[in-house]
Amino acid sequence: MVEPILFVLMSMAALAGAVTVVAARNPVYSAMGLLGTLFSVAVLYVLQLAHLVAAVQVIVYAGAVLTLFLFVIMLIGVDKEEHWEEPLRYQRSFVAGMAGVVVLMAAGLTFFTDFDWVPAAVGGTDPSRTIGTVQAIAEPMFTDWVLAFEATALLLTIAAAGAIALAHYRRRPH
Amino acid sequence: MIVGAEWYMTVAAALFLIGAFGLLLRRNALIMFMCIELMLNAVNLTLIAAGRALNDLGGQVAVFFILVVAAAEVVVGLAIIVAIFRRRTTASVDELSELRG
């Protein structure tokens, strides 16, 4: 009984936060909307028993990424008013039309055919194994996915070095 | 009563659409970045829902890696935005046309 109530509450909060990100005039409000969305999505992860991922979401996103966003907003300051006319003509209406077509196709597939978005569970695994504890996540991560793990380590190093290089960039005096 | 994976995927699709429209509507580079984060979160939500429906932990491991890539992307992207701001004193993507031939 808890899951449906929390699901409705948290998905409403997530969508409200997302709308705030897009609609707010002040970038700080957008960052706060993003914070709300990230926390709500973390609760949705917990509802699906992905405990470690939810914790990492709060620590990495709400802790590190959002702080970085706020820091840059404070550094740059609130920019001058955006202008809303589109440089590419009919770009927005074109994309809205395409999105409408995609949504209608998805709705048609869901309601008028017996298309299965998530195929039936692969045999032999029991649901208790998908509870996302640290141990359960670590086992596939360091066996099947170990190459991806090493690649992300390399990626993080490169990203940190690149960010430092960009931050230390000085224009040469003419 | 259990909320099925399709409900989580519906929410994720709505989040993704809001993020995509924000990316097209806004001209502030910071807000566009936040919209990209929204879209990444929507994809993560679908992966988690699918992983649970399929009884497969691979979904959660994939989300883990997406989180790492997103963090690296934000670090580099914000550094670029700050570097552009120091040159041009603007965060609006429409005014950046130095590469125009």
Coordinates of all heavy atoms in Angstrom, one line a residue, chain A residues 3 7 11 18 21-22 24 30 37-38 41 45 47-48 50 53 56-57 61 68 76 79-80 82-83 87 91-92 95 118-119 122 125 127 129-130 132 136-137 141 145 149 152 159 163 166-167 169, chain B residues 3 7-9 11 14-15 18 22 24-28 30-31 33-34 37-38 41 44-45 48-49 52-57 60-61 63-65 67 70 72 75 78-81 85-86 91 94-95:
Chain A
E3 N 3.7 1.7 -1.6 CA 4.4 2.0 -2.9 C 3.5 2.9 -3.8 O 4.0 3.8 -4.3 CB 4.8 0.7 -3.6 CG 5.6 1.0 -4.8 CD 6.1 -0.2 -5.5 OE1 5.8 -1.4 -5.1 OE2 6.7 -0.1 -6.6
F7 N 4.7 6.5 -4.8 CA 5.0 6.6 -6.3 C 4.2 7.9 -6.8 O 4.9 8.7 -7.5 CB 4.5 5.4 -7.0 CG 4.5 5.6 -8.5 CD1 5.7 5.5 -9.2 CD2 3.4 5.8 -9.2 CE1 5.8 5.7 -10.6 CE2 3.4 6.0 -10.6 CZ 4.6 5.9 -11.3
S11 N 6.4 11.0 -8.0 CA 6.4 11.4 -9.5 C 5.9 12.8 -9.7 O 6.3 13.5 -10.6 CB 5.7 10.3 -10.3 OG 4.6 9.8 -9.6
A18 N 10.8 19.3 -12.5 CA 11.3 19.4 -13.9 C 10.7 20.6 -14.6 O 11.4 21.4 -15.3 CB 10.9 18.1 -14.7
V21 N 12.5 23.7 -13.5 CA 13.8 23.9 -14.1 C 13.6 24.6 -15.4 O 14.4 25.5 -15.8 CB 14.5 22.5 -14.4 CG1 15.7 22.7 -15.3 CG2 14.8 21.8 -13.1
V22 N 12.6 24.2 -16.2 CA 12.4 24.8 -17.5 C 11.8 26.2 -17.5 O 12.2 27.1 -18.2 CB 11.6 23.8 -18.4 CG1 11.3 24.5 -19.7 CG2 12.2 22.5 -18.6
A24 N 11.5 28.5 -14.7 CA 12.0 29.5 -13.8 C 12.8 30.6 -14.5 O 13.6 30.2 -15.4 CB 12.7 28.9 -12.7
S30 N 15.8 27.4 -10.9 CA 16.0 26.2 -11.7 C 16.8 25.1 -11.0 O 16.4 23.9 -11.0 CB 16.7 26.5 -13.1 OG 15.8 27.3 -13.9
T37 N 13.7 17.4 -8.2 CA 13.6 16.2 -9.1 C 14.5 15.1 -8.7 O 14.2 13.9 -8.7 CB 13.8 16.7 -10.5 OG1 12.9 17.7 -10.9 CG2 13.6 15.6 -11.5
L38 N 15.8 15.5 -8.4 CA 16.8 14.5 -8.2 C 16.4 13.7 -6.9 O 16.5 12.5 -6.9 CB 18.2 15.1 -8.0 CG 18.7 15.8 -9.2 CD1 20.0 16.5 -9.0 CD2 18.9 14.8 -10.4
V41 N 13.4 11.4 -7.7 CA 13.8 10.2 -8.5 C 14.6 9.3 -7.6 O 14.5 8.0 -7.7 CB 14.7 10.7 -9.7 CG1 15.3 9.5 -10.4 CG2 13.8 11.4 -10.6
Y45 N 13.8 5.4 -6.9 CA 14.8 4.3 -7.0 C 14.6 3.4 -5.7 O 14.7 2.1 -5.9 CB 16.2 4.8 -7.0 CG 16.7 5.5 -8.2 CD1 17.9 6.2 -8.2 CD2 16.0 5.4 -9.4 CE1 18.3 6.9 -9.4 CE2 16.4 6.0 -10.5 CZ 17.5 6.8 -10.5 OH 17.9 7.4 -11.7
L47 N 12.0 2.9 -4.0 CA 10.8 2.1 -4.2 C 11.0 0.9 -5.1 O 10.3 -0.1 -4.9 CB 9.7 3.0 -4.9 CG 9.0 4.0 -4.0 CD1 7.9 4.7 -4.9 CD2 8.3 3.3 -2.9
Q48 N 12.0 0.9 -6.0 CA 12.3 -0.2 -6.8 C 13.5 -1.0 -6.3 O 14.1 -1.8 -7.0 CB 12.6 0.3 -8.2 CG 11.6 1.2 -8.7 CD 11.4 1.1 -10.2 OE1 11.1 0.1 -10.7 NE2 11.6 2.2 -10.8
A50 N 16.4 -0.2 -5.4 CA 17.8 0.1 -5.9 C 18.4 1.0 -4.8 O 18.6 2.2 -5.1 CB 17.7 0.7 -7.2
V53 N 22.0 2.7 -5.6 CA 21.9 3.7 -6.6 C 21.2 4.9 -6.1 O 21.6 6.1 -6.4 CB 21.2 3.1 -7.9 CG1 21.0 4.2 -8.9 CG2 21.9 2.0 -8.5
V56 N 23.8 6.8 -4.0 CA 24.8 7.5 -4.9 C 24.1 8.6 -5.6 O 24.8 9.7 -5.8 CB 25.3 6.4 -5.9 CG1 26.2 7.1 -7.0 CG2 26.2 5.4 -5.2
Q57 N 22.9 8.5 -6.0 CA 22.2 9.6 -6.7 C 22.2 10.9 -5.8 O 22.5 12.0 -6.2 CB 20.8 9.2 -7.0 CG 19.8 10.3 -7.3 CD 19.5 10.5 -8.7 OE1 20.1 9.9 -9.6 NE2 18.5 11.2 -9.0
Y61 N 24.7 13.5 -7.2 CA 23.9 14.5 -7.9 C 23.6 15.7 -7.0 O 24.0 16.8 -7.2 CB 22.6 13.9 -8.5 CG 22.7 13.6 -9.9 CD1 22.6 12.4 -10.4 CD2 22.9 14.7 -10.8 CE1 22.7 12.1 -11.7 CE2 23.0 14.4 -12.2 CZ 22.9 13.1 -12.6 OH 22.9 12.8 -13.9
L68 N 28.1 22.2 -7.7 CA 28.9 22.7 -8.8 C 28.0 23.7 -9.6 O 28.4 24.8 -10.0 CB 29.4 21.6 -9.7 CG 30.7 21.8 -10.4 CD1 31.8 22.1 -9.4 CD2 31.0 20.5 -11.2
I76 N 28.9 33.3 -12.2 CA 28.5 34.0 -13.5 C 27.5 35.1 -13.1 O 27.5 36.1 -13.8 CB 28.0 33.0 -14.5 CG1 29.1 32.1 -15.0 CG2 27.2 33.6 -15.6 CD1 28.7 31.2 -16.1
D79 N 22.1 35.9 -15.5 CA 22.4 36.5 -16.8 C 21.2 37.5 -17.1 O 20.2 37.5 -16.5 CB 22.5 35.4 -17.8 CG 23.4 35.9 -19.0 OD1 24.3 36.7 -18.7 OD2 23.2 35.4 -20.1
K80 N 21.5 38.3 -18.1 CA 20.4 39.2 -18.5 C 19.2 38.4 -19.1 O 19.4 37.3 -19.4 CB 21.0 40.2 -19.5 CG 21.5 39.6 -20.8 CD 21.9 40.7 -21.7 CE 22.4 40.2 -23.1 NZ 23.7 39.6 -23.0
E82 N 16.6 36.5 -21.0 CA 16.7 35.7 -22.3 C 15.7 36.3 -23.3 O 14.6 36.7 -22.9 CB 16.3 34.3 -22.0 CG 17.4 33.5 -21.3 CD 17.0 32.1 -21.1 OE1 16.7 31.4 -22.0 OE2 16.9 31.7 -19.9
H83 N 16.0 36.2 -24.5 CA 15.0 36.5 -25.6 C 14.5 35.2 -26.1 O 15.2 34.2 -26.1 CB 15.6 37.3 -26.7 CG 16.9 36.7 -27.3 ND1 16.8 36.0 -28.4 CD2 18.2 36.7 -26.9 CE1 18.1 35.6 -28.7 NE2 18.9 36.0 -27.8
P87 N 15.9 31.5 -33.5 CA 16.7 31.8 -34.6 C 16.5 30.9 -35.8 O 16.6 31.3 -36.9 CB 18.2 31.6 -34.1 CG 18.0 31.4 -32.6 CD 16.6 30.9 -32.3
Q91 N 11.5 25.8 -35.7 CA 12.2 24.7 -35.0 C 11.3 24.1 -33.9 O 11.2 22.9 -33.8 CB 13.5 25.2 -34.4 CG 14.2 24.3 -33.5 CD 15.0 25.0 -32.4 OE1 14.7 26.2 -32.1 NE2 16.0 24.4 -31.9
R92 N 10.7 25.0 -33.1 CA 10.0 24.5 -31.9 C 8.7 23.8 -32.3 O 8.4 22.7 -31.8 CB 9.6 25.6 -31.0 CG 10.8 26.0 -30.1 CD 10.6 27.2 -29.3 NE 11.8 27.8 -28.9 CZ 12.0 29.1 -28.7 NH1 11.0 30.0 -28.8 NH2 13.2 29.6 -28.3
V95 N 9.6 20.3 -33.7 CA 10.0 19.4 -32.6 C 8.7 19.0 -31.8 O 8.5 17.8 -31.5 CB 11.0 19.9 -31.7 CG1 11.3 19.0 -30.5 CG2 12.3 20.1 -32.5
V118 N 8.4 -4.3 -21.6 CA 9.4 -5.0 -20.8 C 9.1 -6.5 -21.0 O 8.1 -7.0 -20.5 CB 9.4 -4.7 -19.4 CG1 10.5 -5.4 -18.6 CG2 9.6 -3.2 -19.2
P119 N 9.9 -7.2 -21.8 CA 9.6 -8.6 -22.0 C 9.7 -9.4 -20.7 O 10.2 -9.0 -19.7 CB 10.7 -9.1 -23.0 CG 11.8 -8.1 -22.9 CD 11.1 -6.8 -22.5
V122 N 13.8 -13.1 -17.5 CA 14.6 -14.2 -17.9 C 14.5 -15.3 -16.8 O 14.6 -15.0 -15.6 CB 16.0 -13.8 -18.1 CG1 16.2 -13.1 -19.5 CG2 16.5 -12.8 -17.1
T125 N 16.2 -16.5 -12.4 CA 16.6 -15.5 -11.3 C 15.4 -15.2 -10.4 O 14.3 -15.1 -10.9 CB 17.0 -14.2 -12.0 OG1 16.0 -13.7 -12.9 CG2 18.3 -14.3 -12.8
P127 N 13.5 -12.8 -7.6 CA 13.4 -11.3 -7.3 C 14.3 -10.8 -6.2 O 14.8 -9.7 -6.2 CB 11.9 -11.1 -7.0 CG 11.2 -12.2 -7.6 CD 12.2 -13.4 -7.5
R129 N 17.2 -11.4 -5.6 CA 18.6 -11.2 -6.0 C 18.7 -9.8 -6.6 O 19.9 -9.3 -6.7 CB 19.0 -12.2 -7.1 CG 19.5 -13.5 -6.4 CD 20.3 -14.3 -7.4 NE 21.5 -13.7 -7.9 CZ 21.8 -13.5 -9.2 NH1 20.9 -13.9 -10.1 NH2 22.8 -12.9 -9.5
T130 N 17.7 -9.1 -7.0 CA 17.8 -7.8 -7.6 C 17.7 -6.7 -6.6 O 17.6 -5.5 -6.9 CB 16.7 -7.6 -8.7 OG1 15.5 -7.7 -8.0 CG2 16.9 -8.6 -9.8
G132 N 19.2 -4.0 -4.6 CA 20.4 -3.3 -4.9 C 21.3 -3.0 -3.7 O 21.6 -1.8 -3.4
A136 N 25.4 -6.8 -3.7 CA 24.8 -7.3 -5.0 C 25.3 -6.5 -6.2 O 25.4 -7.1 -7.3 CB 23.3 -7.2 -4.8
I137 N 25.4 -5.2 -6.0 CA 25.9 -4.4 -7.2 C 27.4 -4.7 -7.5 O 27.8 -4.7 -8.6 CB 25.7 -2.9 -6.8 CG1 24.2 -2.5 -6.6 CG2 26.3 -2.0 -7.9 CD1 23.5 -2.3 -7.9
M141 N 29.6 -5.7 -11.0 CA 30.4 -4.6 -11.5 C 31.9 -5.0 -11.6 O 32.6 -4.6 -12.5 CB 30.3 -3.5 -10.5 CG 31.0 -2.2 -10.9 SD 30.8 -0.9 -9.7 CE 29.3 -0.3 -10.2
W145 N 31.3 -6.4 -15.7 CA 31.4 -5.0 -16.1 C 32.8 -4.3 -15.8 O 32.9 -3.1 -15.7 CB 30.3 -4.1 -15.5 CG 29.0 -4.6 -15.8 CD1 28.3 -5.7 -15.4 CD2 28.0 -3.9 -16.6 NE1 27.1 -5.8 -15.9 CE2 26.8 -4.6 -16.6 CE3 28.0 -2.6 -17.2 CZ2 25.7 -4.2 -17.3 CZ3 26.9 -2.2 -17.9 CH2 25.7 -3.0 -18.0
F149 N 34.1 -0.4 -15.8 CA 34.6 0.2 -14.6 C 35.9 0.9 -14.7 O 36.1 2.1 -14.4 CB 34.6 -0.9 -13.5 CG 35.0 -0.3 -12.1 CD1 34.1 0.3 -11.3 CD2 36.3 -0.5 -11.6 CE1 34.4 0.8 -10.1 CE2 36.6 0.0 -10.4 CZ 35.7 0.7 -9.6
T152 N 35.6 4.0 -16.9 CA 35.0 5.2 -16.2 C 36.1 5.8 -15.3 O 36.2 7.1 -15.1 CB 33.8 4.9 -15.3 OG1 34.2 3.7 -14.5 CG2 32.6 4.6 -16.2
A159 N 38.5 13.9 -17.3 CA 37.6 15.0 -17.0 C 38.2 16.0 -16.0 O 38.1 17.2 -16.2 CB 36.3 14.5 -16.6
A163 N 39.2 19.8 -16.8 CA 38.5 20.9 -16.1 C 39.6 21.8 -15.6 O 39.5 23.1 -15.6 CB 37.6 20.4 -15.0
L166 N 41.1 23.8 -18.4 CA 40.3 24.9 -18.8 C 40.3 26.0 -17.8 O 40.2 27.2 -18.2 CB 38.8 24.4 -19.0 CG 38.6 23.7 -20.3 CD1 37.2 23.0 -20.3 CD2 38.6 24.6 -21.5
A167 N 40.3 25.7 -16.5 CA 40.2 26.7 -15.5 C 41.5 27.6 -15.4 O 41.4 28.7 -15.1 CB 39.9 26.1 -14.2
Y169 N 43.3 28.3 -18.0 CA 43.6 28.9 -19.3 C 43.8 30.4 -19.1 O 42.9 31.1 -18.6 CB 42.5 28.6 -20.3 CG 42.6 29.3 -21.6 CD1 43.5 28.9 -22.5 CD2 41.8 30.4 -21.9 CE1 43.6 29.5 -23.7 CE2 41.9 31.0 -23.1 CZ 42.8 30.6 -24.0 OH 42.9 31.2 -25.2
Chain B
V3 N 3.3 -1.2 -8.0 CA 3.3 -0.3 -9.2 C 4.1 -1.0 -10.3 O 5.3 -1.2 -10.0 CB 3.8 1.0 -8.8 CG1 3.7 2.0 -10.0 CG2 3.0 1.6 -7.6
W7 N 4.4 2.2 -15.3 CA 4.1 3.5 -14.7 C 5.4 4.3 -14.5 O 5.4 5.5 -14.7 CB 3.4 3.2 -13.4 CG 2.0 2.7 -13.6 CD1 1.6 1.5 -13.4 CD2 0.9 3.5 -14.0 NE1 0.3 1.4 -13.8 CE2 -0.2 2.6 -14.1 CE3 0.7 4.8 -14.3 CZ2 -1.4 3.0 -14.5 CZ3 -0.6 5.3 -14.7 CH2 -1.6 4.4 -14.8
Y8 N 6.5 3.6 -14.0 CA 7.7 4.3 -13.9 C 8.2 4.8 -15.2 O 8.8 5.9 -15.4 CB 8.8 3.3 -13.3 CG 8.5 3.1 -11.8 CD1 7.9 1.9 -11.4 CD2 8.9 4.0 -10.8 CE1 7.7 1.6 -10.1 CE2 8.7 3.7 -9.5 CZ 8.1 2.6 -9.1 OH 7.9 2.3 -7.8
M9 N 8.0 4.0 -16.3 CA 8.5 4.4 -17.6 C 7.7 5.6 -18.1 O 8.2 6.4 -18.8 CB 8.4 3.2 -18.5 CG 9.3 2.1 -18.1 SD 9.8 1.1 -19.5 CE 11.0 0.1 -18.7
V11 N 6.4 8.0 -16.2 CA 7.0 9.1 -15.5 C 8.3 9.5 -16.2 O 8.6 10.7 -16.4 CB 7.1 8.8 -14.0 CG1 7.9 10.0 -13.3 CG2 5.8 8.7 -13.4
A14 N 7.7 11.3 -19.4 CA 7.3 12.7 -19.2 C 8.5 13.6 -18.8 O 8.7 14.7 -19.3 CB 6.2 12.7 -18.1
L15 N 9.4 13.0 -17.9 CA 10.6 13.8 -17.5 C 11.5 14.1 -18.7 O 12.0 15.2 -18.9 CB 11.4 13.0 -16.5 CG 11.1 13.1 -15.0 CD1 12.0 12.2 -14.2 CD2 11.2 14.6 -14.6
I18 N 10.0 16.8 -20.9 CA 10.1 18.1 -20.3 C 11.6 18.6 -20.5 O 11.8 19.8 -20.8 CB 9.8 18.1 -18.8 CG1 8.3 17.8 -18.6 CG2 10.1 19.4 -18.1 CD1 7.9 17.6 -17.2
G22 N 12.8 21.8 -22.6 CA 13.6 22.8 -22.0 C 14.9 23.1 -22.7 O 15.3 24.3 -22.9
L24 N 15.3 22.9 -25.8 CA 15.0 23.7 -27.1 C 14.5 25.1 -26.8 O 14.8 26.0 -27.5 CB 13.9 22.9 -27.9 CG 14.4 21.6 -28.5 CD1 13.2 20.9 -29.0 CD2 15.3 22.0 -29.7
L25 N 13.9 25.3 -25.6 CA 13.3 26.6 -25.3 C 14.2 27.5 -24.8 O 14.2 28.7 -25.1 CB 12.1 26.4 -24.3 CG 10.8 25.9 -24.9 CD1 9.8 25.6 -23.8 CD2 10.2 26.9 -25.9
R26 N 15.1 27.1 -23.8 CA 15.9 28.0 -23.1 C 17.2 28.3 -23.9 O 17.7 27.5 -24.7 CB 16.3 27.4 -21.7 CG 15.1 27.1 -20.9 CD 14.3 28.4 -20.6 NE 15.0 29.4 -19.9 CZ 14.9 29.6 -18.6 NH1 14.1 28.9 -17.8 NH2 15.6 30.6 -18.0
R27 N 17.8 29.5 -23.6 CA 19.0 29.9 -24.3 C 20.2 30.0 -23.3 O 21.3 30.3 -23.8 CB 18.8 31.2 -25.1 CG 17.9 31.1 -26.3 CD 18.7 30.4 -27.4 NE 17.8 29.9 -28.4 CZ 17.4 28.7 -28.5 NH1 17.7 27.8 -27.6 NH2 16.6 28.3 -29.5
N28 N 19.9 29.9 -22.1 CA 21.0 30.0 -21.1 C 21.7 28.7 -21.0 O 21.1 27.6 -20.8 CB 20.3 30.4 -19.7 CG 21.4 30.7 -18.7 OD1 22.5 30.1 -18.7 ND2 21.0 31.5 -17.7
L30 N 23.5 27.3 -18.8 CA 23.4 26.6 -17.5 C 22.1 25.8 -17.5 O 22.0 24.6 -17.1 CB 23.5 27.6 -16.4 CG 24.9 28.0 -16.0 CD1 24.8 29.2 -15.1 CD2 25.6 26.8 -15.3
I31 N 21.0 26.5 -17.9 CA 19.7 25.8 -17.8 C 19.6 24.7 -18.8 O 19.0 23.6 -18.5 CB 18.6 26.8 -18.2 CG1 18.7 28.1 -17.4 CG2 17.2 26.3 -17.9 CD1 18.2 28.1 -16.0
F33 N 22.1 22.8 -19.6 CA 22.8 21.7 -18.9 C 21.9 21.0 -17.9 O 21.9 19.8 -17.9 CB 24.0 22.3 -18.2 CG 25.3 21.7 -18.8 CD1 26.1 22.4 -19.6 CD2 25.7 20.4 -18.4 CE1 27.2 21.9 -20.1 CE2 26.8 19.9 -19.0 CZ 27.6 20.6 -19.8
M34 N 21.1 21.8 -17.2 CA 20.2 21.2 -16.2 C 19.2 20.3 -16.9 O 18.8 19.2 -16.4 CB 19.5 22.2 -15.4 CG 20.4 23.0 -14.4 SD 19.5 24.1 -13.4 CE 20.8 25.2 -13.0
E37 N 20.6 17.1 -17.7 CA 20.6 16.2 -16.5 C 19.2 15.6 -16.2 O 19.1 14.4 -15.8 CB 21.0 17.0 -15.2 CG 22.4 17.6 -15.3 CD 23.4 16.5 -15.5 OE1 23.4 15.5 -14.8 OE2 24.3 16.7 -16.4
L38 N 18.2 16.4 -16.5 CA 16.8 15.8 -16.4 C 16.6 14.6 -17.3 O 16.1 13.6 -16.9 CB 15.8 16.9 -16.7 CG 15.4 17.9 -15.7 CD1 14.3 18.8 -16.3 CD2 14.8 17.2 -14.5
N41 N 18.4 11.6 -16.0 CA 17.7 11.0 -14.9 C 16.5 10.2 -15.4 O 16.2 9.1 -14.9 CB 17.2 12.1 -14.0 CG 18.1 12.1 -12.8 OD1 18.0 11.4 -11.9 ND2 19.1 13.0 -12.8
N44 N 17.8 6.9 -16.6 CA 18.2 6.1 -15.4 C 17.0 5.4 -14.8 O 17.0 4.3 -14.5 CB 18.9 7.0 -14.4 CG 20.3 7.3 -14.8 OD1 20.8 6.8 -15.7 ND2 20.9 8.2 -14.0
L45 N 15.9 6.2 -14.8 CA 14.6 5.6 -14.2 C 14.1 4.5 -15.0 O 13.7 3.4 -14.5 CB 13.6 6.8 -14.1 CG 12.4 6.5 -13.2 CD1 12.9 6.0 -11.8 CD2 11.5 7.7 -13.1
I48 N 16.3 1.4 -14.3 CA 16.0 0.8 -13.0 C 14.7 0.0 -13.1 O 14.6 -1.2 -12.6 CB 16.0 1.8 -11.9 CG1 17.3 2.5 -11.8 CG2 15.5 1.2 -10.6 CD1 18.1 2.2 -10.6
A49 N 13.7 0.6 -13.7 CA 12.4 -0.1 -13.8 C 12.5 -1.3 -14.6 O 12.0 -2.4 -14.3 CB 11.4 0.9 -14.4
R52 N 14.3 -4.1 -12.7 CA 13.5 -4.7 -11.7 C 12.5 -5.7 -12.4 O 12.3 -6.8 -11.9 CB 12.8 -3.7 -10.9 CG 12.1 -4.3 -9.7 CD 11.1 -3.3 -9.2 NE 10.4 -3.8 -8.0 CZ 9.4 -3.2 -7.5 NH1 8.9 -2.1 -8.1 NH2 8.8 -3.7 -6.4
A53 N 11.9 -5.2 -13.5 CA 10.9 -6.1 -14.1 C 11.6 -7.3 -14.7 O 10.9 -8.4 -14.8 CB 10.2 -5.3 -15.3
L54 N 12.8 -7.3 -15.1 CA 13.5 -8.4 -15.7 C 14.3 -9.2 -14.7 O 15.0 -10.2 -15.0 CB 14.5 -8.0 -16.8 CG 13.8 -7.3 -18.0 CD1 14.9 -6.8 -19.0 CD2 13.0 -8.4 -18.7
N55 N 14.3 -8.8 -13.4 CA 15.1 -9.5 -12.4 C 16.5 -9.5 -12.7 O 17.2 -10.5 -12.6 CB 14.6 -10.9 -12.1 CG 13.3 -10.9 -11.3 OD1 13.1 -10.0 -10.6 ND2 12.5 -11.9 -11.5
D56 N 17.0 -8.4 -13.2 CA 18.4 -8.3 -13.7 C 19.1 -7.1 -13.0 O 18.6 -6.0 -13.1 CB 18.4 -8.1 -15.2 CG 19.8 -8.4 -15.8 OD1 20.8 -8.4 -15.0 OD2 19.9 -8.5 -17.0
L57 N 20.2 -7.4 -12.4 CA 21.0 -6.3 -11.7 C 21.7 -5.4 -12.7 O 22.2 -4.4 -12.3 CB 22.0 -6.9 -10.7 CG 21.4 -7.0 -9.3 CD1 22.5 -7.6 -8.4 CD2 21.1 -5.6 -8.7
Q60 N 20.9 -1.7 -12.8 CA 21.4 -0.8 -11.7 C 22.9 -0.5 -11.9 O 23.3 0.6 -11.7 CB 21.2 -1.4 -10.3 CG 19.7 -1.6 -10.0 CD 19.4 -2.1 -8.6 OE1 20.3 -1.9 -7.8 NE2 18.3 -2.7 -8.4
V61 N 23.6 -1.5 -12.4 CA 25.0 -1.3 -12.7 C 25.2 -0.2 -13.8 O 26.0 0.7 -13.7 CB 25.7 -2.6 -13.0 CG1 27.2 -2.4 -13.3 CG2 25.6 -3.6 -11.9
V63 N 23.1 2.1 -14.5 CA 22.8 3.4 -14.0 C 24.0 4.0 -13.2 O 24.3 5.2 -13.3 CB 21.6 3.4 -13.1 CG1 21.4 4.6 -12.3 CG2 20.3 3.1 -13.9
F64 N 24.7 3.1 -12.5 CA 25.9 3.6 -11.8 C 26.9 4.2 -12.8 O 27.4 5.3 -12.6 CB 26.5 2.3 -11.2 CG 27.2 2.6 -9.9 CD1 26.5 2.5 -8.7 CD2 28.5 2.9 -9.9 CE1 27.2 2.7 -7.5 CE2 29.2 3.2 -8.7 CZ 28.5 3.1 -7.5
F65 N 27.1 3.6 -13.9 CA 28.1 4.1 -14.9 C 27.6 5.4 -15.5 O 28.3 6.3 -15.8 CB 28.4 3.1 -16.0 CG 29.2 1.9 -15.4 CD1 28.8 0.6 -15.7 CD2 30.3 2.2 -14.7 CE1 29.6 -0.4 -15.2 CE2 31.1 1.1 -14.2 CZ 30.7 -0.2 -14.4
L67 N 25.7 7.6 -14.1 CA 26.0 8.6 -13.1 C 27.4 9.2 -13.2 O 27.6 10.4 -13.1 CB 25.7 8.1 -11.7 CG 24.3 8.0 -11.2 CD1 24.2 7.3 -9.8 CD2 23.7 9.3 -11.1
A70 N 27.8 11.2 -16.3 CA 27.1 12.5 -16.2 C 27.9 13.5 -15.3 O 28.0 14.7 -15.6 CB 25.7 12.3 -15.6
A72 N 31.2 13.5 -14.9 CA 32.3 14.0 -15.7 C 31.9 15.0 -16.7 O 32.6 16.0 -16.9 CB 33.0 12.8 -16.4
V75 N 31.3 18.4 -15.1 CA 32.6 19.0 -14.7 C 33.2 19.7 -15.9 O 33.5 20.9 -15.9 CB 33.6 18.0 -14.1 CG1 35.0 18.6 -14.1 CG2 33.1 17.5 -12.8
L78 N 30.7 22.6 -17.3 CA 30.7 23.9 -16.5 C 32.0 24.6 -16.7 O 32.0 25.8 -16.7 CB 30.4 23.6 -15.1 CG 29.0 23.2 -14.8 CD1 28.7 22.9 -13.3 CD2 28.0 24.2 -15.3
A79 N 33.1 23.9 -16.8 CA 34.4 24.5 -17.0 C 34.4 25.3 -18.3 O 34.9 26.4 -18.4 CB 35.6 23.5 -17.0
I80 N 33.8 24.7 -19.4 CA 33.7 25.4 -20.7 C 32.9 26.6 -20.6 O 33.2 27.7 -21.1 CB 33.2 24.4 -21.7 CG1 34.2 23.3 -22.0 CG2 32.8 25.1 -23.0 CD1 33.7 22.2 -23.0
I81 N 31.7 26.5 -19.8 CA 30.8 27.6 -19.7 C 31.5 28.8 -19.0 O 31.5 29.9 -19.4 CB 29.5 27.2 -18.9 CG1 28.7 26.3 -19.8 CG2 28.8 28.5 -18.5 CD1 27.5 25.8 -19.1
F85 N 32.4 32.4 -20.5 CA 31.9 33.6 -19.8 C 33.0 34.6 -19.5 O 32.9 35.8 -19.6 CB 31.3 33.1 -18.5 CG 30.6 34.3 -17.7 CD1 29.4 34.7 -18.1 CD2 31.3 34.9 -16.7 CE1 28.8 35.8 -17.4 CE2 30.7 36.0 -16.0 CZ 29.5 36.4 -16.4
R86 N 34.3 34.0 -19.3 CA 35.4 34.9 -19.0 C 35.7 35.7 -20.3 O 36.2 36.8 -20.3 CB 36.6 34.2 -18.5 CG 36.4 33.8 -17.0 CD 37.7 33.5 -16.4 NE 38.4 32.4 -17.1 CZ 39.3 31.7 -16.6 NH1 39.6 31.8 -15.3 NH2 39.9 30.7 -17.3
A91 N 26.2 33.9 -21.0 CA 25.9 32.5 -20.9 C 24.9 32.1 -21.9 O 24.3 31.0 -21.9 CB 25.5 32.1 -19.5
D94 N 23.1 31.7 -28.0 CA 22.8 32.3 -29.3 C 23.9 33.3 -29.7 O 24.1 33.6 -30.9 CB 21.5 33.0 -29.3 CG 20.3 32.0 -29.6 OD1 20.7 30.9 -30.0 OD2 19.2 32.4 -29.5
E95 N 24.6 33.8 -28.7 CA 25.5 34.9 -29.0 C 26.9 34.3 -29.3 O 27.9 35.1 -29.5 CB 25.6 35.9 -27.8 CG 24.3 36.6 -27.7 CD 24.2 37.5 -26.5 OE1 25.3 37.9 -26.0 OE2 23.1 37.7 -26.0

